[in-house]
Amino acid sequence: MVRTLLILGGTADARALAAAVRRALPDVRVVTSLAGRTASPRMPEGEVVAGGFGGPSGLAGYLRAEGVDALIDATHPFAAEISKSAAEAGQWAGVPRLALVRPPWVFGQDAKVRHVRSMDAAKSALENGGRRVFLAIGRQEVGRFKDLQGRYFLLRFIDAPAAPPPFADCRVLTGPPGTLDEERELLRDYAIDTLVAKNGGGDASRAKVDAALDLGISVILIDPPPPPPPPRAETVEVALAWLDRL
Ligand code: NAP
């Protein structure tokens, strides 16, 4: 029987999983780990640790020291480093690991979505068009677009960035994604003609893509990196069943 579960979090799925485990398996100690980059993250139920482990060996050390006997990697599909750490650390420490990976969004054949494989491919796609761009890719990789001057960028981050973005003509908004109506209004207000976003799946941030498609705005969607190695689950229910079987 599992006594201590570590969830690698930072997503709505991780919060839902922590709550579901506490409800279904109340004797399990649930610890969620956050990277610690967001000033006021939404807190999951159960215990929380933050700030990283120091790579796979640090995570393996934590698993042993805390007597963790199950590990669920419920991080964002684009958080590839921590997922790699989880797979390695689980093996080294002999702790069963599951990746909770939500599927990417799927759109109808007629949807005007351009799928690209990487940030660089998104940048190349923008070079050929897009005068008023909503660059909705989070904080960390905005610098990779810095050569693309001569156009307007709208950026939105959860927290205000430490340094101004590297664009001459831009506006920074802070806060979470909005509803479909709010995203439609935002795209109209800023006269956006191109949206660049990560195909991260899930419900929380899809509205901006649907709003852009409704308005006939070009959408450039970056594919997620390859998923972590199996075993994998696509839903909280399947992850809970995996845990219950251990
Ligand atoms: P990343 O590139 O995969 O990870 C970089 C480093 O941050 C990791 O090596 C690890 O440090 C630390 N880290 C990341 N997630 C952690 C976690 N849940 N608990 C403890 N340490 C963690 O990750 P990222 O893309 O920067 O994402 C950071 C966090 O934001 C993740 O928790 C992810 O779920 C969430 N998030 C990411 C995105 C996105 O688009 N990437 C979107 C929404 C939410 P050590 O090596 O020191 O352990």
Side-chain angles (χ1 to χ4, degrees):
M1 199 191 99
V2 171
R3 267 178 293 220
T4 299
L5 165 70
L6 177 65
I7 299 173
L8 300 173
T11 58
D13 285 342
R15 286 192 298 277
L17 177 65
V21 175
R22 300 245 301 167
R23 219 173 22 250
L25 304 166
D27 294 334
V28 176
R29 175 183 170 219
V30 180
V31 183
T32 297
S33 165
L34 304 175
R37 305 230 182 91
T38 309
S40 307
R42 290 184 62 191
M43 282 302 191
E45 289 186 29
E47 296 173 41
V48 174
V49 293
F53 300 97
S57 58
L59 178 53
Y62 178 90
L63 297 176
R64 288 194 200 99
E66 289 292 318
V68 172
D69 41 16
L71 172 62
I72 299 185
D73 169 13
T75 56
H76 190 270
F78 280 77
E81 277 305 309
I82 187 68
S83 290
K84 192 164 168 276
S85 264
E88 290 180 7
Q91 250 181 6
W92 295 349
V95 173
R97 175 213 48 107
L98 175 81
L100 174 56
V101 188
R102 57 201 194 198
W105 300 312
V106 177
F107 298 91
Q109 280 201 328
D110 298 341
K112 294 212 172 75
V113 177
R114 176 154 177 203
H115 293 272
V116 294
R117 294 243 165 107
S118 64
M119 286 289 161
D120 287 342
K123 187 180 158 198
S124 302
L126 265 185
E127 274 162 10
N128 303 320
R131 308 314 304 169
R132 296 186 64 85
V133 180
F134 182 13
L135 189 58
I137 58 166
R139 225 174 355 172
Q140 294 186 71
E141 286 165 292
V142 164
R144 293 168 71 163
F145 291 78
K146 70 175 187 307
D147 304 340
L148 297 179
Q149 300 296 339
R151 33 176 83 62
Y152 176 87
F153 281 101
L154 177 66
L155 303 150
R156 181 172 62 196
F157 309 125
I158 297 292
D159 295 321
F167 305 117
D169 194 11
C170 70
R171 171 83 199 267
V172 176
L173 306 176
T174 53
T179 61
L180 184 62
D181 285 345
E182 287 164 348
E183 300 291 44
R184 217 186 267 125
E185 203 180 318
L186 182 81
L187 294 167
R188 273 206 204 102
D189 283 355
Y190 287 91
I192 296 301
D193 60 32
T194 307
L195 167 70
V196 181
K198 294 173 175 175
N199 189 347
D203 296 334
S205 57
R206 178 168 169 151
K208 60 179 178 286
V209 181
D210 289 333
L213 291 174
D214 278 2
L215 296 173
I217 289 170
S218 305
V219 175
I220 299 170
L221 213 50
I222 303 158
D223 290 339
R232 292 189 289 263
E234 286 196 350
T235 64
V236 166
E237 291 70 29
V238 175
L240 198 57
W242 172 85
L243 191 65
D244 204 19
R245 278 198 304 275
L246 286 183

